[in-house]
Amino acid sequence: MAVSPLFKSLILVIFLGVSFCMFSLLAVHQPHQVSYPGQSSMEEVASLNGRSITIRIDDSIVHNISEKVLENIRSDTSLCTTLRESISMPTIYIITPTYKRQEQIPDLTRLAQTLMHVPSIMWLVIEDAEMLNPQVAALLNRTGIKYLHMLAPMPKDQQKRKVKARGVSNRNRGLQWIRENFADKNGVIYFADDDNTYDLRLFDEIRSVKKIGMWPVGLLTSYGMSSPVVKDGRVTGFYDGWVANRKFPVDMAGFGVSVSMIRRNPKGNMPYVPGYEEDGFLRNLNVKISEIEPKAENCTKIYVWHTQTKKNRAPSRVNATIHGHTNIWTLYQQII
């Protein structure tokens, strides 16, 4: 198949742009000169609705396009900056506990659509189940995100309790994997429930955590939020509608912990104590209030909301006799 000279020229421009960035990354700065022949022209024969047409393109046009693109690359180094930062960007290990329910796939779909815009992440999706949900597996495979899909069923003794500490087995399994496998020593761990809403700016804050970082969470308790209290750039306390003698009255979505801290504290897991999971976890890591890094512009911005998807009633059963061989039966299997 013939390739037009214009197409070749545009490919050359892209190549030059990428080359420029790569040279910048290597701190090589040399003058860039491009020589072009005088007003020569190129011809390309194409077919349009069965009729042959001839297209003439002056080299000067391609020259002007190339110079304009190169000028933009020189004046706007955001592309080079992005490439440079992506090479040394710390990994965010996102641990998401989940369990089979009608809202599971919609919730995970929404979260996945957010995470698809976040670079340098490892998504640990961990199910409280005896078998992996194939619908979850298919969803994860479609995203293109680097992920692990694992099982961590709630212990039998915990299942018998009237009030259950949901998500603890999942999160502890994720922490175990990070401790047992080679992880980015500069990475950060974040517990992202599948029914929250996340602003993309949150992940920039997470990635900047050196040891333990905290930020506000919206739509919580009668206070409408949960946040560290910050004065003169330092955390001095906590603002939360349910303190209950907790040293760290924070929400699961309101903090990130460095991988190095997790690996230095092999017993720093989450306790099976409903309502005290976050507090117990941070206590087990021996966190001091003076060590907390207030993020999100000194905790003046809300980048995550505890939205919680509304529970839906079980759908009416589809009549298999009538719809067993139609698309309705296939759809029904996806929502039960």
Side-chain angles (χ1 to χ4, degrees):
M1 181 178 68
V3 179
S4 71
L6 178 59
F7 180 80
K8 294 178 181 178
S9 299
L10 292 176
I11 291 297
L12 175 61
V13 170
I14 294 172
F15 173 76
L16 289 172
V18 173
S19 298
F20 180 84
C21 292
M22 294 306 295
F23 277 112
S24 297
L25 292 174
L26 295 173
V28 177
H29 303 287
Q30 297 180 353
H32 183 76
Q33 297 182 347
V34 182
S35 59
Y36 295 88
Q39 299 291 322
S40 62
S41 63
M42 301 173 286
E43 292 188 358
E44 177 66 23
V45 178
S47 177
L48 179 64
N49 295 330
R51 299 172 59 189
S52 295
I53 58 174
T54 301
I55 302 173
R56 298 177 62 84
I57 303 174
D58 287 340
D59 282 348
S60 59
I61 296 175
V62 177
H63 178 193
N64 291 336
I65 294 174
S66 302
E67 283 299 314
K68 185 64 176 176
V69 172
L70 288 173
E71 180 183 344
N72 289 337
I73 291 175
R74 293 189 192 103
S75 61
D76 182 359
T77 59
S78 59
L79 175 61
C80 298
T81 301
T82 300
L83 286 171
R84 186 183 299 111
E85 289 178 349
S86 65
I87 293 175
S88 59
M89 190 176 287
T91 302
I92 302 177
Y93 296 89
I94 299 173
I95 299 177
T96 298
T98 187
Y99 63 98
K100 187 171 176 59
R101 61 195 189 282
Q102 283 183 263
E103 300 80 20
Q104 184 182 34
I105 297 302
D107 282 343
L108 285 172
T109 298
R110 178 176 58 183
L111 177 53
Q113 295 294 312
T114 298
L115 297 182
M116 286 167 68
H117 296 278
V118 183
S120 190
I121 64 172
M122 179 69 166
W123 193 14
L124 281 64
V125 180
I126 308 171
E127 294 198 64
D128 181 354
E130 298 296 334
M131 295 180 60
L132 294 175
N133 185 343
Q135 291 187 52
V136 173
L139 167 64
L140 295 174
N141 191 52
R142 289 194 302 270
T143 65
I145 299 170
K146 187 178 180 181
Y147 72 88
L148 281 175
H149 188 195
M150 298 184 285
L151 290 172
M154 184 184 295
K156 299 296 183 182
D157 62 319
Q158 296 296 322
Q159 294 180 21
K160 298 175 182 178
R161 296 191 175 188
K162 185 177 181 180
V163 180
K164 301 175 177 62
R166 290 193 175 277
V168 173
S169 61
N170 317 53
R171 297 184 187 100
N172 284 340
R173 178 67 184 91
L175 294 172
Q176 179 187 357
W177 184 89
I178 291 171
R179 288 188 175 105
E180 291 178 350
N181 294 272
F182 177 79
D184 180 357
K185 65 179 182 180
N186 296 317
V188 184
I189 298 165
Y190 182 60
F191 300 112
D193 288 354
D194 57 12
D195 59 350
N196 288 342
T197 301
Y198 304 90
D199 187 309
L200 288 176
R201 290 173 293 179
L202 172 68
F203 300 96
D204 293 330
E205 302 297 321
I206 296 172
R207 208 183 303 276
S208 70
V209 169
K210 301 303 180 185
K211 194 169 185 179
I212 169 74
M214 292 189 180
W215 41 82
V217 180
L219 300 179
L220 274 175
T221 73
S222 61
Y223 285 18
M225 62 178 173
S226 173
S227 175
V229 176
V230 179
K231 186 176 182 180
D232 299 327
R234 301 184 65 178
V235 174
T236 60
F238 299 93
Y239 184 84
D240 190 278
W242 187 72
V243 177
N245 295 318
R246 292 185 295 167
K247 180 180 179 180
F248 300 101
V250 297
D251 184 72
M252 196 69 70
F255 64 91
V257 182
S258 69
V259 168
S260 58
M261 175 175 277
I262 291 296
R263 300 189 73 171
R264 284 198 304 267
N265 295 273
K267 295 183 179 180
N269 287 329
M270 200 164 289
Y272 287 94
V273 184
Y276 291 83
E277 297 93 335
E278 301 94 335
D279 182 60
F281 174 62
L282 295 174
R283 284 173 180 266
N284 288 340
L285 291 178
N286 300 311
V287 172
K288 299 180 179 65
I289 291 181
S290 60
E291 296 175 321
I292 298 172
E293 307 154 39
K295 301 296 183 179
E297 298 185 25
N298 273 331
C299 294
T300 61
K301 304 291 185 181
I302 298 177
Y303 295 149
V304 55
W305 293 265
H306 201 252
T307 40
Q308 294 186 308
T309 305
K310 179 180 72 70
K311 297 294 182 183
N312 293 272
R313 293 181 179 180
S316 301
R317 182 172 178 79
V318 169
N319 190 320
T321 303
I322 299 175
H323 297 291
H325 298 287
T326 71
N327 65 305
I328 301 302
W329 184 256
T330 302
L331 292 173
Y332 175 68
Q333 298 303 311
Q334 297 177 38
I335 64 172
I336 58 175

